[in-house]
Amino acid sequence: EIVLTQSPTTMAASPGEKVTLTCRASSSVSYMHWYQQRSGTSPKLWIYETSKLASGVPNRFSGSGSGTSYSLTINSMETEDAATYYCQQGSSYPPITFGSGTKLEIK
Amino acid sequence: EVQLVESGGGLVQPGRSLKLSCAASGFTFSNYYMAWVRQAPKKGLEWVATISTSGSRTYYPDSVKGRFTISRDNAKSSLYLQMNSLKSEDTATYYCARGQYRYNYDYWGQGVMVTVSS
């Protein structure tokens, strides 16, 4: 089973700040997906296949990575970006695995 | 508009059974893999089950294998999760999700809460 480790666990960013969230896999994977979950709501697909933005996702978001290291970057933090972000792999399946999440707060 | 609406949750005693349903609309249900994903209170996401378009193939993690059964009725655009021998650690919000290429999930339901407690 591939274990995904996200860092940091929690962080706070100021409006306009650049933010980078990291997801590391215990073995190499071919791609990574990311989900955004705001408090009290269902997860939303945010970035798929490492770098493709899901429908409606602002272009201040980007994704990159390969092998065992992947990242989600926000070019300029906005208030509405405060949420928990989860990475997910489907390369080595089953099982599908998720990271434990990074909670991003606004400073 | 794609909609996934879960139902069937509630409070159940350890060792008992419960069946969740997910009603899909706004897309051709039979063309998509479907999945259940759960989230324990204040915890992260955990994949629970996936089913192929025809229902002939199903996949589970070890944590639920042999206790949970995913199924679908394409004529009714409905997804199900039969949960047997429930344990306290199965307490979670259960989400129905639509699968996409390379196993991402592009639409999620609102979730249904299952509480396993005596």
mmCIF file of all heavy atoms in Angstrom, chain A residues 57-84:
data_model
loop_
_atom_site.group_PDB
_atom_site.id
_atom_site.type_symbol
_atom_site.label_atom_id
_atom_site.label_comp_id
_atom_site.label_asym_id
_atom_site.label_seq_id
_atom_site.Cartn_x
_atom_site.Cartn_y
_atom_site.Cartn_z
ATOM 1 N N VAL A 57 -11.726 25.929 -10.890
ATOM 2 C CA VAL A 57 -10.622 26.226 -9.963
ATOM 3 C C VAL A 57 -9.831 27.426 -10.485
ATOM 4 O O VAL A 57 -9.427 27.444 -11.652
ATOM 5 C CB VAL A 57 -9.699 25.006 -9.814
ATOM 6 C CG1 VAL A 57 -8.467 25.356 -8.973
ATOM 7 C CG2 VAL A 57 -10.466 23.853 -9.181
ATOM 8 N N PRO A 58 -9.614 28.413 -9.632
ATOM 9 C CA PRO A 58 -8.898 29.631 -10.086
ATOM 10 C C PRO A 58 -7.477 29.324 -10.535
ATOM 11 O O PRO A 58 -6.814 28.432 -9.979
ATOM 12 C CB PRO A 58 -8.886 30.512 -8.828
ATOM 13 C CG PRO A 58 -9.936 29.968 -7.942
ATOM 14 C CD PRO A 58 -10.046 28.518 -8.235
ATOM 15 N N ASN A 59 -6.990 30.083 -11.489
ATOM 16 C CA ASN A 59 -5.665 29.778 -12.041
ATOM 17 C C ASN A 59 -4.515 30.261 -11.159
ATOM 18 O O ASN A 59 -3.351 30.130 -11.546
ATOM 19 C CB ASN A 59 -5.510 30.319 -13.470
ATOM 20 C CG ASN A 59 -5.672 31.819 -13.546
ATOM 21 O OD1 ASN A 59 -5.677 32.496 -12.524
ATOM 22 N ND2 ASN A 59 -5.813 32.337 -14.750
ATOM 23 N N ARG A 60 -4.809 30.768 -9.958
ATOM 24 C CA ARG A 60 -3.736 31.013 -8.994
ATOM 25 C C ARG A 60 -3.251 29.695 -8.375
ATOM 26 O O ARG A 60 -2.216 29.677 -7.705
ATOM 27 C CB ARG A 60 -4.174 31.978 -7.889
ATOM 28 C CG ARG A 60 -5.324 31.497 -7.037
ATOM 29 C CD ARG A 60 -5.694 32.531 -5.973
ATOM 30 N NE ARG A 60 -6.843 32.099 -5.175
ATOM 31 C CZ ARG A 60 -8.106 32.312 -5.543
ATOM 32 N NH1 ARG A 60 -8.379 32.950 -6.678
ATOM 33 N NH2 ARG A 60 -9.087 31.887 -4.770
ATOM 34 N N PHE A 61 -4.010 28.609 -8.606
ATOM 35 C CA PHE A 61 -3.611 27.283 -8.153
ATOM 36 C C PHE A 61 -2.805 26.590 -9.251
ATOM 37 O O PHE A 61 -3.098 26.737 -10.439
ATOM 38 C CB PHE A 61 -4.834 26.417 -7.836
ATOM 39 C CG PHE A 61 -5.504 26.755 -6.534
ATOM 40 C CD1 PHE A 61 -6.458 27.753 -6.483
ATOM 41 C CD2 PHE A 61 -5.189 26.071 -5.372
ATOM 42 C CE1 PHE A 61 -7.082 28.089 -5.286
ATOM 43 C CE2 PHE A 61 -5.805 26.382 -4.172
ATOM 44 C CZ PHE A 61 -6.748 27.390 -4.128
ATOM 45 N N SER A 62 -1.832 25.811 -8.822
ATOM 46 C CA SER A 62 -1.104 24.967 -9.756
ATOM 47 C C SER A 62 -0.626 23.721 -9.036
ATOM 48 O O SER A 62 -0.536 23.697 -7.794
ATOM 49 C CB SER A 62 0.083 25.712 -10.382
ATOM 50 O OG SER A 62 1.018 26.061 -9.375
ATOM 51 N N GLY A 63 -0.351 22.686 -9.806
ATOM 52 C CA GLY A 63 0.149 21.438 -9.244
ATOM 53 C C GLY A 63 1.351 20.967 -10.031
ATOM 54 O O GLY A 63 1.457 21.214 -11.236
ATOM 55 N N SER A 64 2.257 20.296 -9.345
ATOM 56 C CA SER A 64 3.449 19.778 -10.017
ATOM 57 C C SER A 64 3.984 18.587 -9.247
ATOM 58 O O SER A 64 3.515 18.277 -8.140
ATOM 59 C CB SER A 64 4.521 20.861 -10.120
ATOM 60 O OG SER A 64 4.953 21.256 -8.827
ATOM 61 N N GLY A 65 4.969 17.943 -9.840
ATOM 62 C CA GLY A 65 5.627 16.845 -9.153
ATOM 63 C C GLY A 65 5.815 15.635 -10.022
ATOM 64 O O GLY A 65 5.327 15.567 -11.161
ATOM 65 N N SER A 66 6.517 14.674 -9.467
ATOM 66 C CA SER A 66 6.737 13.388 -10.122
ATOM 67 C C SER A 66 7.322 12.423 -9.111
ATOM 68 O O SER A 66 7.797 12.859 -8.038
ATOM 69 C CB SER A 66 7.684 13.522 -11.318
ATOM 70 O OG SER A 66 8.961 13.933 -10.867
ATOM 71 N N GLY A 67 7.255 11.143 -9.451
ATOM 72 C CA GLY A 67 7.862 10.134 -8.587
ATOM 73 C C GLY A 67 7.227 10.066 -7.214
ATOM 74 O O GLY A 67 6.090 9.641 -7.060
ATOM 75 N N THR A 68 7.959 10.483 -6.204
ATOM 76 C CA THR A 68 7.453 10.413 -4.833
ATOM 77 C C THR A 68 7.141 11.779 -4.242
ATOM 78 O O THR A 68 6.725 11.860 -3.086
ATOM 79 C CB THR A 68 8.461 9.697 -3.914
ATOM 80 O OG1 THR A 68 9.683 10.428 -3.911
ATOM 81 C CG2 THR A 68 8.707 8.258 -4.369
ATOM 82 N N SER A 69 7.324 12.846 -4.995
ATOM 83 C CA SER A 69 7.135 14.182 -4.438
ATOM 84 C C SER A 69 6.237 15.041 -5.310
ATOM 85 O O SER A 69 6.529 15.250 -6.486
ATOM 86 C CB SER A 69 8.499 14.864 -4.258
ATOM 87 O OG SER A 69 8.339 16.112 -3.625
ATOM 88 N N TYR A 70 5.160 15.531 -4.730
ATOM 89 C CA TYR A 70 4.178 16.332 -5.437
ATOM 90 C C TYR A 70 3.824 17.560 -4.598
ATOM 91 O O TYR A 70 3.963 17.539 -3.371
ATOM 92 C CB TYR A 70 2.916 15.508 -5.715
ATOM 93 C CG TYR A 70 3.154 14.411 -6.714
ATOM 94 C CD1 TYR A 70 3.714 13.187 -6.331
ATOM 95 C CD2 TYR A 70 2.844 14.592 -8.060
ATOM 96 C CE1 TYR A 70 3.960 12.199 -7.260
ATOM 97 C CE2 TYR A 70 3.083 13.600 -8.991
ATOM 98 C CZ TYR A 70 3.648 12.409 -8.588
ATOM 99 O OH TYR A 70 3.893 11.426 -9.511
ATOM 100 N N SER A 71 3.360 18.609 -5.282
ATOM 101 C CA SER A 71 3.015 19.825 -4.556
ATOM 102 C C SER A 71 1.828 20.538 -5.190
ATOM 103 O O SER A 71 1.558 20.392 -6.385
ATOM 104 C CB SER A 71 4.211 20.766 -4.467
ATOM 105 O OG SER A 71 4.612 21.163 -5.753
ATOM 106 N N LEU A 72 1.145 21.254 -4.356
ATOM 107 C CA LEU A 72 0.057 22.153 -4.762
ATOM 108 C C LEU A 72 0.504 23.547 -4.356
ATOM 109 O O LEU A 72 0.895 23.754 -3.201
ATOM 110 C CB LEU A 72 -1.241 21.757 -4.064
ATOM 111 C CG LEU A 72 -2.515 22.591 -4.319
ATOM 112 C CD1 LEU A 72 -3.767 21.738 -4.010
ATOM 113 C CD2 LEU A 72 -2.545 23.848 -3.502
ATOM 114 N N THR A 73 0.440 24.487 -5.284
ATOM 115 C CA THR A 73 0.887 25.851 -5.007
ATOM 116 C C THR A 73 -0.248 26.833 -5.253
ATOM 117 O O THR A 73 -0.981 26.708 -6.237
ATOM 118 C CB THR A 73 2.088 26.225 -5.885
ATOM 119 O OG1 THR A 73 3.171 25.342 -5.580
ATOM 120 C CG2 THR A 73 2.527 27.668 -5.637
ATOM 121 N N ILE A 74 -0.366 27.790 -4.341
ATOM 122 C CA ILE A 74 -1.274 28.918 -4.528
ATOM 123 C C ILE A 74 -0.388 30.143 -4.742
ATOM 124 O O ILE A 74 0.420 30.497 -3.875
ATOM 125 C CB ILE A 74 -2.196 29.119 -3.314
ATOM 126 C CG1 ILE A 74 -2.919 27.816 -2.957
ATOM 127 C CG2 ILE A 74 -3.201 30.236 -3.600
ATOM 128 C CD1 ILE A 74 -3.706 27.887 -1.653
ATOM 129 N N ASN A 75 -0.534 30.761 -5.872
ATOM 130 C CA ASN A 75 0.325 31.891 -6.231
ATOM 131 C C ASN A 75 0.137 33.093 -5.316
ATOM 132 O O ASN A 75 1.108 33.779 -4.960
ATOM 133 C CB ASN A 75 0.010 32.288 -7.663
ATOM 134 C CG ASN A 75 1.233 32.776 -8.390
ATOM 135 O OD1 ASN A 75 2.340 32.306 -8.124
ATOM 136 N ND2 ASN A 75 1.041 33.712 -9.303
ATOM 137 N N SER A 76 -1.097 33.327 -4.936
ATOM 138 C CA SER A 76 -1.420 34.487 -4.112
ATOM 139 C C SER A 76 -2.642 34.144 -3.269
ATOM 140 O O SER A 76 -3.759 34.130 -3.779
ATOM 141 C CB SER A 76 -1.690 35.705 -5.012
ATOM 142 O OG SER A 76 -2.054 36.827 -4.245
ATOM 143 N N MET A 77 -2.409 33.859 -2.014
ATOM 144 C CA MET A 77 -3.462 33.370 -1.121
ATOM 145 C C MET A 77 -4.644 34.316 -1.040
ATOM 146 O O MET A 77 -4.467 35.554 -0.912
ATOM 147 C CB MET A 77 -2.873 33.162 0.290
ATOM 148 C CG MET A 77 -3.848 32.736 1.357
ATOM 149 S SD MET A 77 -4.241 30.990 1.200
ATOM 150 C CE MET A 77 -5.380 30.812 2.600
ATOM 151 N N GLU A 78 -5.856 33.737 -1.113
ATOM 152 C CA GLU A 78 -7.061 34.522 -0.903
ATOM 153 C C GLU A 78 -7.869 33.887 0.235
ATOM 154 O O GLU A 78 -7.707 32.714 0.543
ATOM 155 C CB GLU A 78 -7.884 34.595 -2.184
ATOM 156 C CG GLU A 78 -7.172 35.326 -3.298
ATOM 157 C CD GLU A 78 -8.105 35.788 -4.419
ATOM 158 O OE1 GLU A 78 -9.344 35.674 -4.259
ATOM 159 O OE2 GLU A 78 -7.570 36.265 -5.440
ATOM 160 N N THR A 79 -8.753 34.684 0.829
ATOM 161 C CA THR A 79 -9.537 34.239 1.980
ATOM 162 C C THR A 79 -10.296 32.951 1.679
ATOM 163 O O THR A 79 -10.355 32.041 2.516
ATOM 164 C CB THR A 79 -10.527 35.335 2.409
ATOM 165 O OG1 THR A 79 -9.815 36.546 2.638
ATOM 166 C CG2 THR A 79 -11.287 34.943 3.655
ATOM 167 N N GLU A 80 -10.848 32.857 0.502
ATOM 168 C CA GLU A 80 -11.666 31.705 0.122
ATOM 169 C C GLU A 80 -10.848 30.418 -0.032
ATOM 170 O O GLU A 80 -11.423 29.337 -0.159
ATOM 171 C CB GLU A 80 -12.407 31.977 -1.185
ATOM 172 C CG GLU A 80 -11.498 32.121 -2.385
ATOM 173 C CD GLU A 80 -12.270 32.437 -3.659
ATOM 174 O OE1 GLU A 80 -13.381 32.971 -3.576
ATOM 175 O OE2 GLU A 80 -11.746 32.138 -4.754
ATOM 176 N N ASP A 81 -9.538 30.519 -0.016
ATOM 177 C CA ASP A 81 -8.682 29.332 -0.170
ATOM 178 C C ASP A 81 -8.474 28.594 1.149
ATOM 179 O O ASP A 81 -7.882 27.509 1.176
ATOM 180 C CB ASP A 81 -7.327 29.713 -0.757
ATOM 181 C CG ASP A 81 -7.446 30.392 -2.109
ATOM 182 O OD1 ASP A 81 -8.462 30.170 -2.792
ATOM 183 O OD2 ASP A 81 -6.529 31.148 -2.477
ATOM 184 N N ALA A 82 -8.942 29.179 2.241
ATOM 185 C CA ALA A 82 -8.825 28.516 3.543
ATOM 186 C C ALA A 82 -9.663 27.242 3.540
ATOM 187 O O ALA A 82 -10.876 27.278 3.300
ATOM 188 C CB ALA A 82 -9.294 29.456 4.647
ATOM 189 N N ALA A 83 -9.005 26.111 3.750
ATOM 190 C CA ALA A 83 -9.649 24.799 3.634
ATOM 191 C C ALA A 83 -8.620 23.736 3.992
ATOM 192 O O ALA A 83 -7.449 24.048 4.243
ATOM 193 C CB ALA A 83 -10.150 24.579 2.210
ATOM 194 N N THR A 84 -9.066 22.489 3.998
ATOM 195 C CA THR A 84 -8.138 21.365 4.108
ATOM 196 C C THR A 84 -7.943 20.770 2.722
ATOM 197 O O THR A 84 -8.915 20.574 1.985
ATOM 198 C CB THR A 84 -8.661 20.309 5.083
ATOM 199 O OG1 THR A 84 -8.814 20.908 6.379
ATOM 200 C CG2 THR A 84 -7.693 19.138 5.185
#
